[in-house]
Amino acid sequence: MKTIRISFFQMLAYMRRDRMLFAACLAPILAGFLFRFAIPLLEAALTDWFHVPAIIVPYYALIDIFFAMLSPAMFCFVSAMVALEETDEKTAAYLFVTPLGRNGYLASRLGIPSVAAFLVTSVLMPVFKLTSLSTVDIILLAAGGTLQGIIISLLILTFSSNKLEGMAITKLSTLMICGAAIPFFIKHDVQYVLSPLPYFWIGKTICESVPIYMLPAFILSITWICFLLKRYLRKI
């Protein structure tokens, strides 16, 4: 446990030297203020301008989903960038044969950031949510978002060989989050074309207020994580 803690603190020291990564960790708080206060003001301005009762309000739940994904995406992106550089410099492979070991390395680079993302999301969601989400909904969203963050992190590590490629993969992988919007806009059965994406089921859970839909989201997320983790370990 001591070696895992030291390895994690080494990652934090690296983050402090990289302003972009440090800023990414603060993004959820800044976005929370934007979502919680700017969007209702925008909604009031739009409804007054177009003389309609609601424009953005029907999609407040979708905005809450996106916010729940933000902390895990940012935290796991930061850890992935650090691990990517270590992989590129071949230091990750060397760390595997130290007392830290492979499992300890994965715990410090994926496990701890994921737990931190879950806790941060659980704290920020009640403060910045736009809808009346229950405690169970918040916990489910935080857990689902954390798993998606791990998937994004593993996609970066598996398919990138440097930071530039990592940034490109990050942009492409975060597009999958849009799968959560499908149940809000497509009511026909054609929506199930995107059912292999965990995001789709997370969106469906909140859109239709059916918590059991989180079960396929969790199963699919774990399947994605296992597949990508094997690819990543073979890569390094």
Side-chain angles (χ1 to χ4, degrees), residues 33-84:
F33 282 103
L34 177 65
F35 287 177
R36 181 63 181 85
F37 300 107
I39 289 180
L41 289 175
L42 178 61
E43 169 71 353
L46 289 174
T47 53
D48 183 63
W49 179 270
F50 292 104
H51 303 289
V52 292
I55 295 178
I56 309 177
V57 167
Y59 306 106
Y60 274 9
L62 179 59
I63 295 172
D64 281 343
I65 294 174
F66 288 156
F67 182 68
M69 304 292 174
L70 188 57
S71 291
M74 290 295 99
F75 283 26
C76 291
F77 159 74
V78 169
S79 63
M81 287 294 104
V82 176
L84 186 61

Side-chain angles (χ1 to χ4, degrees), residues 147-174:
L147 291 175
Q148 306 322 301
I150 297 174
I151 291 174
I152 291 174
S153 182
L154 287 172
L155 283 170
I156 296 170
L157 294 173
T158 302
F159 297 106
S160 306
S161 57
N162 53 59
K163 281 189 173 182
L164 184 61
E165 291 181 3
M167 293 293 292
I169 294 296
T170 300
K171 293 177 182 178
L172 291 175
S173 59
T174 51

Side-chain angles (χ1 to χ4, degrees), residues 21-191:
L21 298 183
F22 183 76
C25 293
L26 299 179
I29 298 176
L30 299 177
F33 282 103
L34 177 65
F35 287 177
R36 181 63 181 85
F37 300 107
I39 289 180
L41 289 175
L42 178 61
E43 169 71 353
L46 289 174
T47 53
D48 183 63
W49 179 270
F50 292 104
H51 303 289
V52 292
I55 295 178
I56 309 177
V57 167
Y59 306 106
Y60 274 9
L62 179 59
I63 295 172
D64 281 343
I65 294 174
F66 288 156
F67 182 68
M69 304 292 174
L70 188 57
S71 291
M74 290 295 99
F75 283 26
C76 291
F77 159 74
V78 169
S79 63
M81 287 294 104
V82 176
L84 186 61
E85 180 157 334
E86 291 171 338
T87 301
D88 187 43
E89 295 175 349
K90 308 300 182 184
T91 56
Y94 291 119
L95 288 172
F96 280 11
V97 297
T98 66
L100 178 65
R102 184 181 70 177
N103 292 335
Y105 180 80
L106 293 175
S108 64
R109 296 298 182 269
L110 293 177
I112 296 178
S114 298
V115 172
F118 174 81
L119 295 175
V120 170
T121 303
S122 299
V123 171
L124 294 182
M125 280 296 295
V127 177
F128 296 119
K129 62 185 176 69
L130 293 172
T131 59
S132 55
L133 293 172
S134 66
T135 302
V136 173
D137 290 333
I138 291 173
I139 293 174
L140 289 175
L141 278 176
T146 299
L147 291 175
Q148 306 322 301
I150 297 174
I151 291 174
I152 291 174
S153 182
L154 287 172
L155 283 170
I156 296 170
L157 294 173
T158 302
F159 297 106
S160 306
S161 57
N162 53 59
K163 281 189 173 182
L164 184 61
E165 291 181 3
M167 293 293 292
I169 294 296
T170 300
K171 293 177 182 178
L172 291 175
S173 59
T174 51
L175 286 176
M176 294 193 303
I177 297 177
C178 295
I182 298 302
F184 287 85
F185 296 98
I186 301 177
K187 302 301 181 181
H188 194 269
D189 288 347
V190 71
Q191 66 179 262

